[in-house]
Amino acid sequence: MGKELPKNWVITKLNEVVKFQKGKKPKILSEEKFKDSVPYLDIKAFEKDEIRRYADIESSKLIKKEEIGIVWDGARSGWVSKNKEGAVGSTIAILKPLMIEPNLLYRFLEAKFNFINTNTRGIGIPHVDPDVLWNIDFPLPPLPEQNRIVIKLDQLFKQLDVIKANLDNIPQLLKDFRQQVLTQAFTGKLTEEWRKDKNIALWKTELAKDCCEKVQSGGTPKGSNFALSGIPFFKVYNIVDQQISFDYKPQYVSEEIQNTQCKKSICYPNDVLMNIVGPPLNKVAIVPERFKECNINQAITLFRPKPYLSYKFLYYFLREGTPVNNLVNETRGVVGQVNISLTQCREFKIPIPSEQEQEEIVNRVESLFSKADIIEKHYESLKEKIDKLPQTILHKAFKGEIVPQLESDGDAKDLLKEIRKLNRK
């Protein structure tokens, strides 16, 4: 690594450039401020700036703003924080930088978090392994360059925060777009221009029990009588991203159970399934062709449309959510649950245009959704790259690649000599 560094840098060990002090629980802790008290900085205070208690100064180990706090014990051991003042508990350690820019130490520990956190010591609650931490190679730049690096890193990470904030809006924008497409589709606006000058039948409205051959919820076999193979049996968790996913916890019933206890709710390809127990509601899926027969539990209802009602049209209509949303205030269930009854499902009002217009609506919805899917894939690819940028930036920073080196900066070897003298005191 040394050969890759600028000539005026030097490699040392982390324990040479910091002083270390472990925190401890103060004698007096209170939820209210009191005389000669300071904020008590536990893990929540470090991670969320959440001050829950105050400690007496006399019995506390104190951290100053120019020092770095590191979570020593816990699931996120190695996690660091800066610019904190107060008393630190026993799960926190204080690192005092010696003649190095505090923010440079902070950024370095950020860069090494995964390494520290995956090389912990202890059984049960992990804690930082001192042998690992103190033996990390620390690339030491001259002090003037340290300051330039910190300034540049602050600039880059602020820009990165703006990019991330803008990028984080995209999933909601796509969700809103898809919802708007469905709303336009089932209010007739999506095909409004298409209908002009066509001899198209007017839309009608029918109850689900009239336009479907079957609207039926399922049930669990007595004694949870499941088999290791046989007829696929779907639960709500098998509806993922508005389609059937049978890879997770697959369950089956035997043909005997299928044709006796579960006979009323046998499902076939192109049946539309919707959960009626939540939250969340509005999970909808079409039974794929690969499932020649399947069944459902009591938290799901199947809709089998009559020939004049497209199953895809019905699927997208149920995804649009109006029938369920209209019932939200009428739903019943235990605390934390939202239930829709089978009777309510059968009373859903289904808008029905001509078969030709149903096909046009489905085609337009799928075309627009396909465009949204492409954007979403680009977003996911870009997000993956953006998420890797912090470590890339930090890696370059500690190789001396983000700011120029100046002859006037001096040599870090001289700085290290001064640090060693200070460390011996």
Side-chain angles (χ1 to χ4, degrees):
M1 184 175 178
K3 293 179 181 178
E4 299 175 3
L5 295 178
K7 63 180 182 180
N8 57 346
W9 287 37
V10 66
I11 287 288
T12 184
K13 296 294 182 182
L14 185 62
N15 68 340
E16 286 206 285
V17 294
V18 298
K19 287 279 190 182
F20 168 81
Q21 185 180 36
K22 190 79 158 52
K24 71 171 185 176
K25 187 176 180 178
K27 289 180 180 178
I28 302 174
L29 282 172
S30 170
E31 293 182 1
E32 303 292 333
K33 286 184 179 180
F34 57 92
K35 186 179 179 183
D36 295 328
S37 69
V38 292
Y40 180 62
L41 305 176
D42 55 11
I43 292 177
K44 281 197 174 181
F46 269 64
E47 292 183 345
K48 300 179 180 179
D49 284 330
E50 184 181 315
I51 306 299
R52 298 180 295 169
R53 291 178 290 178
Y54 295 85
D56 67 307
I57 293 178
E58 187 176 347
S59 67
S60 296
K61 292 287 181 71
L62 302 176
I63 188 170
K64 301 175 183 177
K65 273 195 172 183
E66 65 271 16
E67 296 171 335
I68 305 299
I70 181 170
V71 176
W72 199 258
D73 304 299
R76 294 186 71 198
S77 58
W79 191 82
V80 291
S81 186
K82 62 178 180 175
N83 297 326
K84 293 283 193 298
E85 283 186 306
V88 295
S90 58
T91 58
I92 308 295
I94 304 166
L95 302 182
K96 179 181 179 180
L98 300 175
M99 297 182 71
I100 60 172
E101 227 289 340
N103 282 319
L104 189 75
L105 174 62
Y106 171 76
R107 294 297 188 188
F108 178 77
L109 291 170
E110 263 194 329
K112 296 296 180 181
F113 167 71
N114 286 334
F115 176 73
I116 297 169
N117 198 42
T118 53
N119 290 277
T120 53
R121 178 185 289 183
I123 299 172
I125 297 176
H127 62 263
V128 172
D129 187 333
D131 291 337
V132 170
L133 181 67
W134 302 133
N135 282 292
I136 294 175
D137 285 338
F138 184 83
L140 180 67
L143 195 54
E145 188 174 349
Q146 290 182 33
N147 295 325
R148 294 200 303 277
I149 290 171
V150 167
I151 291 170
K152 185 65 176 179
L153 284 175
D154 285 345
Q155 291 173 348
L156 291 172
F157 277 92
K158 282 178 183 176
Q159 291 170 5
L160 198 56
D161 287 342
V162 172
I163 292 171
K164 283 183 176 180
N166 290 330
L167 202 61
D168 287 346
N169 292 328
I170 292 177
Q172 187 61 48
L173 290 172
L174 289 172
K175 182 180 178 181
D176 292 345
F177 170 76
R178 291 186 179 103
Q179 185 61 47
Q180 189 60 33
V181 168
L182 293 173
T183 300
Q184 295 280 317
F186 298 105
T187 56
K189 292 182 179 179
L190 192 62
T191 46
E192 191 171 33
E193 290 297 316
W194 176 88
R195 281 195 302 274
K196 287 182 179 179
D197 302 323
K198 287 184 175 67
N199 187 20
I200 297 294
L202 296 176
W203 289 40
K204 59 182 179 179
T205 301
E206 292 186 14
L207 299 180
K209 64 183 179 183
D210 297 322
C211 62
C212 290
E213 294 176 1
K214 176 176 276 192
V215 180
Q216 180 62 56
S217 57
T220 298
K222 292 178 183 178
S224 296
N225 197 352
F226 296 110
L228 296 176
S229 62
I231 309 296
F233 187 85
F234 299 147
K235 295 186 174 182
V236 174
Y237 62 68
N238 294 123
I239 303 177
V240 179
D241 294 333
Q242 309 297 36
Q243 59 186 351
I244 295 296
S245 174
F246 199 54
D247 295 331
Y248 178 66
K249 289 185 179 179
Q251 288 189 311
Y252 302 86
V253 292
S254 67
E255 287 190 23
E256 181 184 354
I257 295 294
Q258 170 85 330
N259 294 319
T260 53
Q261 293 184 40
C262 297
K263 186 175 181 179
K264 68 175 183 178
S265 53
I266 295 175
C267 303
Y268 300 105
N270 301 334
D271 283 350
V272 181
L273 308 182
M274 185 188 78
N275 73 313
I276 57 174
V277 176
L281 294 172
N282 281 119
K283 297 182 75 173
V284 187
I286 296 170
V287 176
E289 291 287 343
R290 69 180 182 275
F291 297 107
K292 301 306 178 185
E293 265 192 32
C294 52
N295 220 299
I296 53 178
N297 76 351
Q298 62 276 8
I300 300 175
T301 291
L302 76 88
F303 296 80
R304 185 173 300 144
K306 291 180 178 178
Y308 61 85
L309 177 59
S310 160
Y311 70 91
K312 285 189 176 181
F313 181 89
L314 178 60
Y315 163 73
Y316 285 117
F317 173 70
L318 292 175
R319 277 187 62 173
E320 192 272 335
T322 293
V324 171
N325 294 337
N326 287 341
L327 291 172
V328 166
N329 295 328
E330 302 173 27
T331 55
R332 64 182 184 276
V334 299
V335 175
Q337 277 193 331
V338 184
N339 296 357
I340 298 173
S341 71
L342 177 59
T343 299
Q344 288 171 319
C345 289
R346 288 171 173 165
E347 296 294 319
F348 283 171
K349 293 179 180 179
I350 313 292
I352 305 177
S354 68
E355 291 182 48
Q356 186 183 359
E357 189 166 358
Q358 288 179 48
E359 183 180 357
E360 183 66 22
I361 287 170
V362 168
N363 288 340
R364 291 190 177 207
V365 167
E366 291 184 343
S367 175
L368 291 167
F369 276 23
S370 177
K371 291 178 172 63
D373 290 344
I374 291 170
I375 294 171
E376 191 165 46
K377 285 181 181 178
H378 286 315
Y379 154 76
E380 289 169 354
S381 175
L382 182 58
K383 185 177 184 302
E384 186 178 351
K385 292 175 183 176
I386 294 296
D387 287 344
K388 291 178 181 177
L389 265 181
Q391 285 299 316
T392 301
I393 292 169
L394 291 171
H395 180 71
K396 287 181 174 293
F398 290 101
K399 286 179 66 178
E401 294 178 0
I402 67 167
V403 296
Q405 286 77 44
L406 304 177
E407 290 293 333
S408 58
D409 288 343
D411 197 311
K413 290 178 182 177
D414 297 326
L415 176 62
L416 182 58
K417 290 177 183 177
E418 296 298 315
I419 292 173
R420 284 171 174 165
K421 289 178 185 177
L422 193 62
N423 210 352
R424 288 195 290 267
K425 291 181 180 179

